[in-house]
Amino acid sequence: MAVMTMVEAIRASLAAELERDERVLVLGQDVGVNGGVFRATEGLQERFGADRVVDMPLAEAVIVGSAVGLACSGLIPVAELQFLGFGSQAFHQIEGQVARMRFRSAGRYGMPMVIRAPFGGNVRTPELHSDAHEAKYAGAPGLKVVMPATAHDAKGLLTAALRDPDPVLFCEPLRGYRLIKDEVPDGDYSVPLGRARTVREGDDVVIVAYSAAVVIAEKAAERAAAEGYSVGVLDLRSLVPLDTDALREAVARAGRAIVLHEAPLTAGFGAELVATIQEEAFWSLEAPIGRVAAYDTPYPPGAVEELYVPSVERVLAAVRDVLEA
Amino acid sequence: MAVMTMVEAIRASLAAELERDERVLVLGQDVGVNGGVFRATEGLQERFGADRVVDMPLAEAVIVGSAVGLACSGLIPVAELQFLGFGSQAFHQIEGQVARMRFRSAGRYGMPMVIRAPFGGNVRTPELHSDAHEAKYAGAPGLKVVMPATAHDAKGLLTAALRDPDPVLFCEPLRGYRLIKDEVPDGDYSVPLGRARTVREGDDVVIVAYSAAVVIAEKAAERAAAEGYSVGVLDLRSLVPLDTDALREAVARAGRAIVLHEAPLTAGFGAELVATIQEEAFWSLEAPIGRVAAYDTPYPPGAVEELYVPSVERVLAAVRDVLEA
Amino acid sequence: MSAVRATGSAEPLRLLAPDGTVAAGQATALDDAQLLDAWRAMLQSRAVDERFFSLQRQGRLGTFSPVAGEEAAVVGSAWALDPARDWVVPQYRELPAMLRQGYTLARAVRYFRGDPAGNLMEPGVNLLPYQISLAAQIPHAVGLAWGLRHQGSDGVVCVYFGDGASSEGDAHEALNLAGVRRAPVVFVLKNNGWAISTPVRRQTAAASFAARAEGYGMPGELVDGNDLLAMHDACTRAVARARAGDGPTLIEARTYRMGPHNTSDDPTRYVDAAELEERRAADPVLRLRRHLTARGLVDAASEAELTARLKAEVDAAVAEAEAVPPPGPEAMFDHVYADAPGRMLGQRAAATGEGG
Amino acid sequence: MSAVRATGSAEPLRLLAPDGTVAAGQATALDDAQLLDAWRAMLQSRAVDERFFSLQRQGRLGTFSPVAGEEAAVVGSAWALDPARDWVVPQYRELPAMLRQGYTLARAVRYFRGDPAGNLMEPGVNLLPYQISLAAQIPHAVGLAWGLRHQGSDGVVCVYFGDGASSEGDAHEALNLAGVRRAPVVFVLKNNGWAISTPVRRQTAAASFAARAEGYGMPGELVDGNDLLAMHDACTRAVARARAGDGPTLIEARTYRMGPHNTSDDPTRYVDAAELEERRAADPVLRLRRHLTARGLVDAASEAELTARLKAEVDAAVAEAEAVPPPGPEAMFDHVYADAPGRMLGQRAAATGEGG
Ligand SMILES: Cc1ncc(C[n+]2csc(CCOP(=O)(O)OP(=O)(O)O)c2C)c(N)n1
Ligand SMILES: Cc1ncc(C[n+]2csc(CCOP(=O)(O)OP(=O)(O)O)c2C)c(N)n1
Ligand SMILES: [Mg+2]
Ligand SMILES: [Mg+2]
C-alpha cells in the first residue's frame, strides 16, 4: 500500500498490464518521449519500446480507427485522446465503429480496447479541453463508460477495463490527476465495472456523482453534516454498466436524492440517473430529485469557469432545496 | 391549403426561403441534379442555380464546417446531412464549432444556419442510416434541435428555423417523408420553436413524443381509448428549446406520463424529459413515468428492426403498466 | 510484369487493350488456370448482380449495390492476394473480393436479407465485414496491417474505397498514418465516376487520386480499372512491396459504375445516356472475353455453360439463405457485448419473453 | 518577384540568405516603409512573447503559446493581405497576423486572462477568433472564402494551421473542397517541426507538405518560413491568384518553434539541445536584422528605441486589460444564443441572482 496520485495510479496500471500481457499497446498524441501531456505514460516508452508505446499523428479518428484494426489483429490497444473534448473528432469511430464492431461482425471481432481521455474543469485549460461529454458516449450501445474518482479505483478500474472483452471509454478527471491522492495496493487487483461505491451512508439525502464531482459531493456532505443533516454519497464509478441496485438502495434509504456532474444540465447523464431512480425507487421518493450540473452553455473561458463547474455551495443549496421540498 | 407529404412540405419551405432571401444557400451530398436521395431538394437547383443549391464532396465535416464560414460571410446556409447517423463524422464541427461560434466570438459571428438530417427506422435502410442521435445534439449548448411530426409543422418549423438567428439541427423522420401527409397552408407561415403541440388531451396519462414517434403515440392513444382510457399525446416539436410549461400542464392534468422515442433508452432524450417532468410536476405524479424507447443495442439490420423500433404494442403495454402502478 | 511506374503518371496503366490484345512486350502474371478463375469470378459477380436485383424487386432482399462495371478492378486486385495470410477490408461493392477470401454467397444473401448473422466472417476468413460508414474502414485497415506486422506476420491488407469515400477525413488520416508507420496496406481507390449522383469532378479538382500518394510519402499508381491484367499487375507489385516491408501503395482503379448506385437509385436523373453508352463499351467483361477468346481459353459454349452453372450456384445460395429461420429478437442483443450490462440483459429478457 | 515555381519543388523558396543578403536578380516587393513595419511587427511579437510568458508565470495570464521562431512566416504572409478586404483565419500561434487585421493587444491580454470578451473581433475586423480545436478552422476558411466570392467580393482568406493540424481529417476535407470550388484561399501550413512533442517525421512520411497540393488540384509551394521576403513573395502571388479567380494555393512555411509549445510545456524532455542551437541560429529576426542593417534601415540604437517603445505598448495593453473589471456570471450566458431558450435564461437568472 502506498499513497499515490491518480495519475500515478493510472501509470501503474498501464505499466503492469504492458508487462503482463504483450498484446497491450499504448497509442496517442505525445504519449512517447514526452510521457503524455499529463505524464500518465511517463517512462513507458523507455521501458516497453517505441513499438508498444506509440506517438501518433495529430488525428483522433485514426488513433481510434487504427485501434479498431489493431484489435481485429488480436492486440489490445489503449488509445489516448489528449482530451475528451477532442474525442468529438473521432465520434464516428467511437460510436459507429468501436462500439458496434462486435455486433456488426456477429461476434467475430470483439473490441477489447480502452480509450483513455482526460476531461473536467477548473484547471484553466483553453476552450474545449474541459468538456464533459460522458452522456454522449453512455448513449452509444456497445461501449462501456468508466469514470473513477479515487486513485485506488483509477488503478483497479483501469486494470479491469484493460482485461474486459468489451471496449471501454475511460474518463480521467484533469483536476484529480495530482489533487486526488489515496492508498493504492501495490500488487495486481481490479475493481469490477458496474459496482458503485458507497462513499458515505446517508439517511436524509444521497448525492449521486462520479469522477472528480465525488470530491465536491463529499465536501458538501460534510458541510451538511455540520448543519445536522445525514447526507450520503454514492460514487457510480461506471455509467455503463450502471449499478441500479446501489442507486435503488441508496435512494430507498434516504428518500431524497441529488445527482451531480460537471457536464451541462440538459441531456446530461444526470437526466438518466433521475429517470433510473424514479423507475427503480419511485415509491421511496419524498421529494423531486435535484440535479446539480453545469449550465446549458459551452464550457466558458477561465475567468468564469469557477462559476460554471458545480461548486460545494451549489450542491449544498440543492441539498437544502431537496430537504425543504 | 393542400394536403402534402412531409417531404413536399420541406421542399416547399426551402423553395420559399430560397426565393425570399437570397442569402439562403443549400448544400449537401446529391442535393443538386438528383434533388436529394429523398427528393427533398428536387427541382431546387434547376430553379435557383448551381451556385445556390450545391452538390458537395462526400465529407460531412466540411459540409458543416464550410457552412460555418459561409455564415461568417453573411449567408444563411442550409446544410443537408444525408443521414443523421453520418452527422457523427461532423460531430466536432456541429458540437464544437457551429454551436459555439457565437459564444466564442463574443457575439460577433452568429450562426444562422440549418442542418437538415433524416433519421429513423422501419424503412429497411442499411446500418447507421436510421440512428436517432437527437440527445447527443440536445446536449450541445448553443444549438437548437427541432423534430417535426407533421407536414404542417415541417414547413412551419423549417421556415422558423431558417429565420432563426441561431443554428438549428432539423431532424426529419425517414418513415414520415411520404407516409405523413396533412393539410399545409399555401402561403408563408412559421411555427415558433419551443412550443409543443397538444395532439390530444388526456386525463389518465399523457404520452410525450416527437417526430414520427408521435404517430405511434396517437395510435396507441386511440387503442387505449377503445379500452376506456383517456390518453393524451403531446408533440414536443423541438427539444431545444423545450416547452416545459406544456410538459408541466399535461402531466398536472393526467398525473401519469410516458415518454417515447426511437433512440435507445440509456441517455436518450426521454431521460431528460423524465428529469424535467419530475422537476416541474413531481407533486402531480401518481406513478413512475414510463419510458418507451429502443433497446440499448445498435440499430439492428432490417430483419429485426420492427422489433427494435418502439411499436404501438409496446407503448400500449407501457400505458397499462403506468396506469396499474 | 511492367516495371514500377512513376508516381502520379497521367496515363492509366493498361496491359490489355480494349480489343483484348496484350501490349507487345507485356507478359501476364496470371496463368491460364488463374485467368479462368478470375473470369469465373467476374461472371459470377454479374450473375449475382442480376439475381439480387430481381430479388430486391420482389421484396426478398434489402438495398443492394451492384458491382457491374467494376469486376476487373475488384477481381484483379483481390487475385493478387494470398487469402491464407492477406486480408481484405471492403467498403460494400466488392463482393467478389470477399468471396475469394472465404465469405460465402449464402451469407451474403442473408446479409442483404437483413439478418445480423449475414455479416459473420467465419474464423480463418481474413476479412472485415461490409462497411456502410464511408471511409471508416480505411483506418481499420491500417491498424490491422500494423497489428499483423507487430505480431510478426507478413500478411498484407487490401482495403477498398470509392472516389466518394476518398473525400472523407478518415481517408486522409489513414493514408497518412500508413505512410508514417510503413504499414503493409494496399489502398485500392475505385474511382467509378460517381458517388451516388455526384460526379468525380465535384469530388476532386486533382488530375488523379493517385496524385495524392506523394503527399503521404508512398507510391501511387493510376490503373485502368477495367483491365484485369493491369489491376492484377499493379496490385501484385504493391503486395510484394508491402510484404517486403517497404510500406503502403495507393492504387487508383479508374473504372465506371455501369448500373445504378443501388436498388433505390434512379441514375437516369443524372447520368448522361451517351456517356453511359460509351462507358458500357469499355465493360471489363467484354474486354476479358475478347482476350480469353483470342487465347482460345473460352468460347460461347463454354461461357454459356459456365454462366448456367454460376446462376445455379446463386440460386442454391438463395435457397440456402431463405431456408434459415428468420432471426428472432435475441438477434438484437447477441454480440453487442461479450459481458453485457445488466440493463441490456433485462431488455433482452423482456423482448424475448424469457425470464431475466 | 520570383516566377511561379513548380508544385512540390524539393528546395524551399528562399530570397533572403541567412547572412541577410538578397539573392542576385531578386527584388523585394516590400518597400522600405513596409519592411520596417514588418520588422516592427516581428519585434513586437518577440516582446509580447516575453511579457506574456512572465505574466503567465506570475499567474496573471492563462496558457499561452509563444510565436518565437515563426515571426517571418506569420508576418511575411499576413503582410501580403489587404486587411480592408482580405481575411485571416488563425489557429492560435499567429497573433501578429491578427493584430495586423485590427485585433488589439489589449483584447489579446483579455483573451489570455480568460475573459470571454477577449475573443471579440470588432466589426470591420476581417478575422475569425482563435481556434483551439486543431484544423477545425480550415473548413471555416473555405466556406468564408466561398461566401465572399458568392457575394461578389474579391476578398481572399488566409488560413493558418500547423504541421500537427495537417494530419486531421478536417485539413483534408477543406483543402479538397477549396480545390473543387476554386475558393480564394491561401493555406499557410506552418511546419514548425513540432506538434507539442511530436516531430514532423511522425506526422508525415512525405518529403514536404507542399506535395499534398497536387492531390487537391492546386499549386503548392515550399517556402523558407524564416525568410520574410520569400514568405511575402509566395503569399503575394497566391493572393493574386486567388483574387483573380484562379483558386487556392497551399504554402508550406518551413520554420521552427524556438520555444516551448506553450507555458505548460517542457521541451527539454524531447528537443535535442544541439538541434535547438542550430535552429536558433536560423532565427528569422536575426536574418531580417542583418538585411535591414545592410540596407541601412536599422541599427542597434534604432532597434533599442523601437523595442523599448514596443514593450511600453505591451505594458499599456496589459494595464488596459487589467483595468477591465473581471467578467461576472452573465458572461457565461451572453452570446450563447441570440434568442435563448427559457431554460438557459432561468439558469442565467439563478446564477446572476437576477429575477428570471
Ligand atoms: C459517411 C457516409 N456519408 C454518406 C453516406 C451515404 N452514401 C452511401 S453510398 C454513397 C456514395 C459512395 O460513393 P463512393 O465512395 O464513390 O462508392 P461507390 O458507391 O461509387 O462504390 C453515399 C454518399 C454513407 N454511407 N456514409
Ligand atoms: C483536435 C485537437 N486535438 C488535440 C489538441 C491538443 N493540442 C493542442 S496544440 C497541439 C499540437 C499542435 O501542433 P501544430 O498543429 O503543429 O501547431 P503548433 O503548436 O506547432 O503551432 C495539440 C496536440 C487540440 N487542441 N485539438
Ligand atoms: Mg464511386
Ligand atoms: Mg507545429
Side-chain angles (χ1 to χ4, degrees):
Chain A
M1 280 290 220
V3 171
M4 279 191 190
T5 62
M6 190 182 270
V7 75
E8 287 166 349
I10 287 164
R11 198 187 305 133
S13 170
L14 288 173
E17 289 302 296
L18 278 160
E19 183 71 49
R20 201 185 66 87
D21 187 341
E22 62 174 19
R23 293 171 304 165
V24 174
L25 220 72
V26 169
L27 47 149
Q29 293 159 18
D30 306 297
V31 297
V33 181
N34 200 31
V37 288
F38 300 103
R39 312 287 172 247
T41 55
E42 185 161 36
L44 297 183
Q45 188 179 69
E46 221 172 339
R47 187 160 155 208
F48 299 102
D51 279 348
R52 295 189 64 207
V53 181
V54 183
D55 277 321
M56 293 288 281
L58 207 166
E60 289 78 11
V62 84
I63 291 176
V64 174
S66 66
V68 170
L70 287 164
C72 289
S73 83
L75 297 170
I76 302 178
V78 187
E80 177 178 306
L81 296 171
Q82 203 158 69
F83 295 91
L84 181 59
F86 303 124
S88 297
Q89 264 79 349
F91 196 70
H92 58 295
Q93 283 288 348
I94 301 175
E95 184 272 331
Q97 303 296 322
V98 171
R100 302 187 196 210
M101 192 52 114
R102 178 184 291 276
F103 181 67
R104 173 177 305 136
S105 66
R108 164 93 188 261
Y109 297 109
M111 289 284 116
M113 66 158 78
V114 175
I115 302 173
R116 293 182 39 244
F119 82 104
N122 276 342
V123 286
R124 292 265 169 161
T125 59
E127 204 198 357
L128 298 154
H129 288 62
S130 290
D131 286 33
H133 285 176
E134 66 275 11
K136 294 166 177 88
Y137 296 99
L143 201 64
K144 295 176 177 172
V145 180
V146 176
M147 309 195 78
T150 65
H152 171 279
D153 283 1
K155 183 174 171 199
L157 288 167
L158 182 53
T159 301
L162 288 163
R163 297 176 189 175
D164 199 274
D166 297 310
V168 175
L169 178 70
F170 194 84
C171 302
E172 304 168 2
L174 278 171
R175 195 164 72 242
Y177 270 149
R178 291 191 163 67
L179 285 184
I180 292 178
K181 287 187 210 194
D182 47 87
E183 298 243 319
V184 173
D186 295 324
D188 186 88
Y189 71 98
S190 63
V191 173
L193 309 187
R195 276 301 161 77
R197 174 174 71 99
T198 299
V199 181
R200 49 190 288 161
E201 310 260 356
D203 293 322
D204 295 332
V205 55
V206 59
I207 306 174
V208 181
Y210 47 87
S211 192
V214 171
V215 178
I216 305 292
E218 283 186 71
K219 289 189 183 149
E222 276 161 34
R223 294 257 303 267
E227 295 179 24
Y229 301 118
S230 166
V231 179
V233 175
L234 188 69
D235 169 10
L236 287 176
R237 283 176 168 157
S238 65
L239 309 190
V240 181
L242 182 62
D243 192 344
T244 46
D245 293 337
L247 275 175
R248 187 190 323 105
E249 285 155 25
V251 175
R253 172 170 178 166
R256 291 164 205 255
I258 285 166
V259 300
L260 166 67
H261 55 62
E262 287 198 26
L265 184 87
T266 294
F269 199 74
E272 177 57 51
L273 294 173
V274 172
T276 300
I277 290 171
Q278 72 95 41
E279 275 155 20
E280 299 283 333
F282 182 82
W283 304 109
S284 315
L285 283 173
E286 292 158 29
I289 303 160
R291 282 197 282 175
V292 184
Y295 302 114
D296 286 324
T297 71
Y299 195 98
V304 285
E305 66 175 324
E306 279 177 32
L307 302 171
Y308 181 78
V309 177
S311 59
V312 175
E313 284 66 34
R314 273 168 70 197
V315 178
L316 262 179
V319 167
R320 293 192 200 104
D321 278 358
V322 165
L323 286 170
E324 282 156 25
Chain B
M1 279 291 220
V3 170
M4 280 191 188
T5 61
M6 189 181 271
V7 75
E8 287 165 350
I10 288 165
R11 198 187 303 133
S13 171
L14 288 172
E17 290 300 296
L18 279 160
E19 183 71 49
R20 201 183 67 86
D21 188 340
E22 62 174 19
R23 294 172 304 167
V24 174
L25 222 71
V26 169
L27 48 148
Q29 293 159 17
D30 306 296
V31 296
V33 180
N34 202 31
V37 289
F38 299 104
R39 311 288 173 247
T41 55
E42 184 160 38
L44 297 182
Q45 187 178 72
E46 222 172 337
R47 189 161 154 207
F48 299 101
D51 279 348
R52 294 189 64 207
V53 180
V54 184
D55 278 320
M56 293 287 281
L58 207 165
E60 288 78 11
V62 84
I63 290 175
V64 175
S66 66
V68 169
L70 288 164
C72 290
S73 84
L75 298 171
I76 302 177
V78 187
E80 177 178 306
L81 296 171
Q82 203 158 69
F83 296 90
L84 181 60
F86 303 125
S88 296
Q89 264 80 350
F91 196 70
H92 59 296
Q93 284 288 347
I94 301 174
E95 184 272 330
Q97 303 296 321
V98 171
R100 302 185 194 212
M101 192 51 114
R102 178 184 290 276
F103 182 67
R104 173 177 305 138
S105 65
R108 164 93 187 263
Y109 298 108
M111 289 284 116
M113 66 158 79
V114 176
I115 302 173
R116 294 182 39 244
F119 81 103
N122 276 342
V123 285
R124 292 265 169 160
T125 58
E127 205 199 355
L128 297 154
H129 288 62
S130 291
D131 285 33
H133 285 175
E134 64 277 10
K136 294 167 179 87
Y137 295 100
L143 200 64
K144 294 176 177 172
V145 180
V146 176
M147 310 195 77
T150 66
H152 171 278
D153 284 0
K155 184 174 170 200
L157 289 167
L158 182 53
T159 301
L162 289 163
R163 297 176 189 174
D164 198 275
D166 297 310
V168 175
L169 178 69
F170 193 85
C171 303
E172 305 168 2
L174 278 170
R175 193 164 74 241
Y177 270 149
R178 293 194 160 64
L179 284 183
I180 292 178
K181 285 186 211 192
D182 46 87
E183 298 241 320
V184 173
D186 294 324
D188 186 88
Y189 70 98
S190 63
V191 172
L193 309 186
R195 267 322 148 74
R197 175 175 69 100
T198 300
V199 181
R200 50 190 287 161
E201 311 260 356
D203 293 322
D204 295 333
V205 55
V206 59
I207 307 174
V208 180
Y210 48 87
S211 193
V214 172
V215 179
I216 305 293
E218 283 187 71
K219 288 190 184 147
E222 276 161 34
R223 293 258 302 267
E227 295 179 25
Y229 301 118
S230 167
V231 179
V233 175
L234 187 69
D235 169 11
L236 287 176
R237 282 177 167 157
S238 64
L239 309 190
V240 181
L242 181 63
D243 192 343
T244 46
D245 293 337
L247 275 174
R248 186 188 325 105
E249 286 156 24
V251 175
R253 173 170 177 164
R256 292 164 202 255
I258 285 166
V259 300
L260 167 66
H261 55 62
E262 286 198 24
L265 183 87
T266 294
F269 199 75
E272 178 57 51
L273 294 174
V274 171
T276 299
I277 290 170
Q278 73 96 40
E279 275 155 20
E280 299 283 333
F282 182 81
W283 304 109
S284 315
L285 284 173
E286 292 157 31
I289 302 160
R291 283 195 282 173
V292 184
Y295 302 113
D296 285 325
T297 70
Y299 195 99
V304 283
E305 67 176 324
E306 279 176 33
L307 302 172
Y308 182 77
V309 177
S311 59
V312 174
E313 284 65 33
R314 272 169 68 197
V315 178
L316 262 179
V319 166
R320 291 190 201 104
D321 278 358
V322 165
L323 286 172
E324 282 157 25
Chain C
M1 198 184 288
S2 73
V4 176
R5 300 165 71 244
T7 288
S9 167
E11 276 304 299
L13 174 71
R14 179 178 282 176
L15 301 183
L16 197 55
D19 65 3
T21 57
V22 173
Q26 301 284 16
T28 323
L30 292 162
D31 64 24
D32 286 357
Q34 288 170 309
L35 272 175
L36 284 173
D37 189 47
W39 170 242
R40 179 199 54 75
M42 287 170 66
L43 290 188
Q44 178 189 48
S45 179
R46 205 70 40 116
V48 168
D49 277 3
E50 279 164 25
R51 190 81 178 97
F52 281 20
F53 219 88
S54 78
L55 287 173
Q56 194 278 341
R57 289 290 181 259
Q58 296 163 41
R60 288 159 70 189
L61 228 58
T63 311
F64 169 73
S65 290
V67 182
E70 305 173 33
E71 292 89 348
V74 176
V75 171
S77 51
W79 264 243
L81 304 172
D82 171 4
R85 56 178 163 170
D86 299 329
W87 287 68
V88 163
V89 178
Q91 192 164 285
Y92 49 70
R93 206 188 289 282
E94 298 85 16
L95 182 58
M98 296 171 76
L99 294 174
R100 178 143 195 277
Q101 294 298 106
Y103 185 60
T104 67
L105 263 183
R107 282 267 176 218
V109 176
R110 289 174 69 181
Y111 174 77
F112 289 106
R113 282 167 62 81
D115 180 347
N119 231 342
L120 179 67
M121 314 298 146
E122 308 284 350
V125 172
N126 292 341
L127 182 62
L128 295 200
Y130 288 101
Q131 180 60 259
I132 295 301
S133 186
L134 289 162
Q137 75 276 21
I138 320 179
H140 305 173
V142 177
L144 175 58
W146 164 11
L148 292 173
R149 180 140 300 228
H150 182 86
Q151 290 166 92
S153 157
D154 68 350
V156 171
V157 178
C158 176
V159 57
Y160 293 95
F161 57 109
D163 46 293
S166 79
S167 296
E168 289 280 357
D170 276 9
H172 166 69
E173 296 190 14
L175 280 154
N176 191 42
L177 177 66
V180 169
R181 296 212 64 83
R182 294 179 80 79
V185 184
V186 180
F187 295 94
V188 178
L189 190 165
K190 280 191 303 147
N191 175 355
N192 66 359
W194 299 99
I196 309 185
S197 74
T198 309
V200 169
R201 68 171 187 286
R202 301 240 148 265
Q203 216 66 248
T204 181
S208 78
F209 289 106
R212 292 211 180 133
E214 195 185 337
Y216 300 119
M218 66 177 76
E221 189 158 7
L222 177 60
V223 181
D224 179 345
N226 289 1
D227 175 343
L228 178 83
L229 302 187
M231 279 302 299
H232 183 262
D233 176 58
C235 291
T236 301
R237 284 180 282 112
V239 168
R241 223 164 18 237
R243 195 157 350 264
D246 294 334
T249 305
L250 171 61
I251 292 174
E252 174 180 352
R254 204 160 279 175
T255 175
Y256 197 78
R257 194 194 77 202
M258 295 194 327
H261 167 65
N262 65 21
T263 39
S264 325
D265 181 42
D266 172 12
T268 64
R269 299 174 66 92
Y270 57 84
V271 177
D272 179 70
E275 177 186 311
L276 182 61
E277 206 49 47
E278 192 188 307
R279 297 305 203 117
R280 280 186 171 281
D283 183 338
V285 170
L286 292 183
R287 203 190 297 187
L288 189 62
R289 178 187 294 133
R290 287 188 193 114
H291 178 65
L292 297 181
T293 306
R295 281 176 79 152
L297 290 172
V298 307
D299 58 21
S302 76
E303 182 173 340
E305 189 271 334
L306 176 58
T307 301
R309 184 154 51 81
L310 292 168
K311 286 189 172 171
E313 274 172 35
V314 178
D315 287 342
V318 172
E320 181 185 333
E322 291 188 336
V324 175
E330 67 289 345
M332 291 184 282
F333 301 94
D334 291 343
H335 310 303
V336 177
Y337 293 92
D339 179 17
R343 174 176 280 185
M344 200 205 77
L345 294 177
Q347 295 172 355
R348 184 186 197 282
T352 58
E354 288 159 21
Chain D
M1 198 185 286
S2 72
V4 175
R5 301 165 70 244
T7 287
S9 166
E11 276 305 299
L13 173 71
R14 179 178 282 177
L15 299 183
L16 198 55
D19 65 2
T21 57
V22 174
Q26 301 284 13
T28 324
L30 292 162
D31 64 24
D32 286 357
Q34 288 171 310
L35 273 175
L36 284 173
D37 189 47
W39 170 243
R40 181 200 53 76
M42 287 170 66
L43 290 189
Q44 179 188 47
S45 180
R46 204 69 41 116
V48 168
D49 276 3
E50 280 163 25
R51 190 81 178 97
F52 281 20
F53 219 87
S54 77
L55 287 173
Q56 194 277 343
R57 288 290 179 260
Q58 296 163 39
R60 289 159 69 190
L61 228 59
T63 312
F64 168 73
S65 290
V67 182
E70 305 174 32
E71 292 90 348
V74 176
V75 171
S77 50
W79 264 244
L81 303 172
D82 171 5
R85 56 179 162 169
D86 298 329
W87 288 68
V88 163
V89 177
Q91 191 163 286
Y92 50 69
R93 206 189 291 281
E94 297 86 16
L95 182 58
M98 297 171 75
L99 294 173
R100 179 146 194 276
Q101 293 298 105
Y103 185 60
T104 66
L105 263 183
R107 284 264 176 220
V109 177
R110 289 174 69 181
Y111 174 78
F112 289 107
R113 281 167 62 81
D115 181 346
N119 231 341
L120 178 67
M121 314 297 147
E122 308 285 349
V125 173
N126 291 340
L127 182 62
L128 295 199
Y130 288 100
Q131 180 59 259
I132 296 301
S133 185
L134 289 163
Q137 77 275 21
I138 320 179
H140 305 172
V142 177
L144 175 59
W146 163 12
L148 292 173
R149 180 139 302 229
H150 182 85
Q151 292 167 92
S153 156
D154 68 351
V156 170
V157 177
C158 176
V159 58
Y160 293 95
F161 56 109
D163 47 293
S166 79
S167 296
E168 288 280 358
D170 277 9
H172 166 68
E173 296 190 15
L175 280 154
N176 191 42
L177 177 66
V180 169
R181 296 213 63 83
R182 294 178 80 79
V185 184
V186 180
F187 296 93
V188 178
L189 190 165
K190 280 191 304 147
N191 175 355
N192 65 359
W194 299 99
I196 310 185
S197 75
T198 310
V200 169
R201 69 171 186 287
R202 301 240 148 264
Q203 216 67 248
T204 180
S208 80
F209 290 106
R212 292 212 181 135
E214 195 185 337
Y216 299 120
M218 66 176 77
E221 189 158 8
L222 177 60
V223 181
D224 179 344
N226 289 2
D227 175 343
L228 179 82
L229 303 186
M231 279 303 298
H232 183 262
D233 176 58
C235 291
T236 301
R237 284 180 281 113
V239 168
R241 223 166 16 238
R243 195 157 350 265
D246 294 335
T249 304
L250 171 61
I251 291 174
E252 173 181 353
R254 203 159 282 174
T255 175
Y256 196 77
R257 194 194 78 203
M258 296 193 327
H261 167 64
N262 64 20
T263 40
S264 326
D265 182 42
D266 172 12
T268 63
R269 298 175 68 93
Y270 56 84
V271 177
D272 180 69
E275 176 186 311
L276 182 62
E277 207 49 48
E278 192 188 308
R279 296 306 202 116
R280 279 185 171 283
D283 182 338
V285 171
L286 292 184
R287 202 190 296 188
L288 188 63
R289 180 188 294 133
R290 288 187 192 116
H291 178 65
L292 297 181
T293 306
R295 281 176 78 150
L297 291 172
V298 308
D299 59 21
S302 75
E303 182 173 339
E305 189 272 334
L306 177 58
T307 301
R309 184 154 50 81
L310 292 168
K311 285 189 172 168
E313 275 173 35
V314 177
D315 287 341
V318 171
E320 182 185 334
E322 291 188 336
V324 175
E330 67 289 346
M332 291 185 282
F333 301 94
D334 291 342
H335 311 303
V336 177
Y337 293 92
D339 179 17
R343 172 176 280 186
M344 200 203 76
L345 294 177
Q347 294 172 355
R348 184 186 197 283
T352 58
E354 289 160 19

